[in-house]
Amino acid sequence: MISVVIPAYNEEKYIGKCLQSLMEQEVMPDEIIVVNNNSTDGTEEIVKKFPVILLTEKKKGIIPARRKAFDAAKGTIIVRTDADTIVPPDWIKKITKHFEDRKLV
């Protein structure tokens, strides 16, 4: 099971494209967790348009936001990306293959 973790703070310009790239994966992750870290823009509203888990972390900073997502993740493999990143369509597929081939532990 693969969980994708995305901390987000004021990412309304980018988060939609990031999530769309995750929706277009050749191999879908089992869950996508976005942690809204006190955004004051439209980040949360954009995230709500996607079939993802949306969490809120009031303590500001990447570490508390990431920890909140890691604690909630159910996957045996947890991957993280930034909210302003567009991942390639084979991203999850390649990660899965590396683990299956025992190239990563």
Side-chain angles (χ1 to χ4, degrees):
M1 183 170 185
I2 295 184
S3 300
V4 177
V5 168
I6 308 169
Y9 172 71
N10 287 346
E11 298 286 354
E12 73 178 358
K13 290 182 182 179
Y14 309 105
I15 191 71
K17 289 178 183 175
C18 174
L19 292 173
Q20 188 59 46
S21 72
L22 286 164
M23 296 297 115
E24 296 170 354
Q25 290 296 293
E26 293 172 14
V27 174
M28 292 299 293
D30 296 286
E31 64 181 359
I32 300 169
I33 302 170
V34 177
V35 179
N36 181 11
N37 196 210
N38 296 311
S39 295
T40 57
D41 64 0
T43 297
E44 188 168 318
E45 290 75 24
I46 294 167
V47 172
K48 286 180 178 178
K49 295 177 183 178
F50 292 87
V52 302
I53 298 165
L54 175 62
L55 304 176
T56 301
E57 175 52 59
K58 294 292 183 189
K59 188 173 181 182
K60 217 167 190 184
I62 188 76
I63 294 171
R66 188 175 52 209
R67 184 179 308 124
K68 178 94 167 197
F70 287 169
D71 288 347
K74 295 179 179 144
T76 53
I77 300 170
I78 302 172
V79 297
R80 191 186 78 78
T81 191
D82 293 325
D84 63 353
T85 300
I86 297 172
V87 297
D90 61 349
W91 188 57
I92 297 296
K93 182 179 177 180
K94 283 183 176 179
I95 292 168
T96 302
K97 182 161 178 34
H98 284 299
F99 276 89
E100 287 172 351
D101 292 347
R102 299 177 187 248
K103 292 179 183 174
L104 298 174
V105 291

